């Protein structure tokens, strides 16, 4: 019988340190692309969701249509979503970002709107009595008080984007999803496992980072719990 090869890559093992050593640059490039796709999509989604939630809060009749449209977008399967966007963006990173933005709107709009609705009416009335106009009231009273709910939505949207970004591998812009997809096609165990674990690490790290940010910018919630 032939002795098994000493190289874990040759043995195609799931856990292989040699894979990390020899594919370090590939992994770093994939992680960088994954982070860029996630961060850009969440930031754009937040920039769109915030005014939508504010408008839905100001004009009650708009809340139903806004929530309905964003909910319908979230129910579209990812492959179908990318196919629908393909004629507009082509095979590009913009296609993946646009899809992730649309998926994030449901989580962000709902949570921001819930936070704005939870602001006590007596607080609004007191601010108006002190001469606060609509813009100042929104920026200095309503949005700060809505931060806990908004940050909860942002955390979920970010973790969701980290996961969904892998689907971008079908158009060649999936970050770590590219490695997972190619590894599954060739049954390259170390690549599939390493890329999958890195996705989980990114999701957990992003969630903890946003949780820490929420802890820093909402000191009144700590005082309340204390």
């Amino acid at each position: 019988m032939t002795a098994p090869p000493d190289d874990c890559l040759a043995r195609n093992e799931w856990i292989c340190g040699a894979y990390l050593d020899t594919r370090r640059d590939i992994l770093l490039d994939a992680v960088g692309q994954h982070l860029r796709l996630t961060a850009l999509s969440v930031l754009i989604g937040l920039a769109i969701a915030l005014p939508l939630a504010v408008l839905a809060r100001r004009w009650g009749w708009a809340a139903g249509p806004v929530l309905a449209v964003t909910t319908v977008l979230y129910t579209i399967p990812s492959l179908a979503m990318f196919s629908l966007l393909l004629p507009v963006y082509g095979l590009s990173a913009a296609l993946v970002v646009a899809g992730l933005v649309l998926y994030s709107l449901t989580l962000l709009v709902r949570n921001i709107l819930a936070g704005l609705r939870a602001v006590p009416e007596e607080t609004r009335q007191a601010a108006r009595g002190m001469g606060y106009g609509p813009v100042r009231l929104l920026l200095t009273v309503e949005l700060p008080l809505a931060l806990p709910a908004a940050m909860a939505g942002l955390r979920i949207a970010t973790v969701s984007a980290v996961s969904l970004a892998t689907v971008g591998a079908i158009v060649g812009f999936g970050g770590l999803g590219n490695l997972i997809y190619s590894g599954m096609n060739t049954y390259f165990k170390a690549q599939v496992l390493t890329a999958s674990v890195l996705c989980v690490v990114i999701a957990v790290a992003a969630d903890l980072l946003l949780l820490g940010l929420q802890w820093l910018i909402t000191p009144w919630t700590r005082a309340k719990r204390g």
Side-chain angles (χ1 to χ4, degrees):
M1 296 179 63
T2 304
D6 294 331
D7 189 352
C8 60
L9 285 173
R11 293 194 301 270
N12 194 26
E13 295 180 350
W14 287 104
I15 301 176
C16 181
Y19 175 79
L20 297 176
D21 293 335
T22 58
R23 270 74 169 185
R24 184 173 303 157
D25 291 339
I26 296 175
L27 286 170
L28 289 176
D29 287 343
V31 168
Q33 185 182 84
H34 209 102
L35 291 175
R36 289 192 297 272
L37 291 171
T38 301
L40 188 58
S41 62
V42 172
L43 289 175
I44 294 175
L46 185 60
I48 297 173
L50 181 57
L52 286 177
V54 171
L55 290 176
R57 177 67 184 87
R58 287 285 185 266
W59 302 329
W61 60 266
V66 167
L67 293 176
V69 170
T70 55
T71 299
V72 169
L73 290 173
Y74 197 76
T75 62
I76 300 175
S78 54
L79 292 179
M81 176 70 80
F82 289 155
S83 298
L84 292 172
L85 295 173
L86 185 60
V88 179
Y89 296 99
L91 296 175
S92 65
L95 170 67
V96 181
V97 171
L100 296 180
V101 167
L102 293 177
Y103 280 127
S104 71
L105 290 180
T106 300
L107 302 169
L108 293 172
V109 171
R110 283 185 177 275
N111 280 270
I112 296 173
L113 181 57
L116 291 173
R117 284 175 169 173
V119 177
E121 185 58 33
E122 55 269 23
T123 301
R124 292 191 178 91
Q125 294 296 339
R128 292 190 186 101
M130 296 172 62
Y132 282 43
V135 176
R136 187 182 179 191
L137 175 64
L138 174 67
L139 296 178
T140 62
V141 177
E142 293 179 314
L143 285 180
L145 292 178
L147 270 177
M151 288 299 297
L154 182 61
R155 289 170 57 197
I156 298 172
T158 301
V159 172
S160 178
V162 172
S163 174
L164 289 172
T166 59
V167 184
I170 62 173
V171 295
F173 295 92
L176 290 165
N178 293 341
L179 300 182
I180 295 174
Y181 183 73
S182 63
M184 291 179 66
N185 284 338
T186 58
Y187 200 57
F188 192 173
K189 296 178 182 178
Q191 180 164 297
V192 172
L193 180 61
T194 302
S196 300
V197 169
L198 285 174
C199 281
V200 174
V201 170
I202 290 174
V204 173
D207 188 54
L208 292 176
L209 181 63
L210 290 173
L211 183 61
L213 177 61
Q214 178 180 344
W215 186 83
L216 288 174
I217 64 179
T218 57
W220 60 90
T221 60
R222 303 197 299 272
K224 184 177 180 179
R225 284 196 295 267

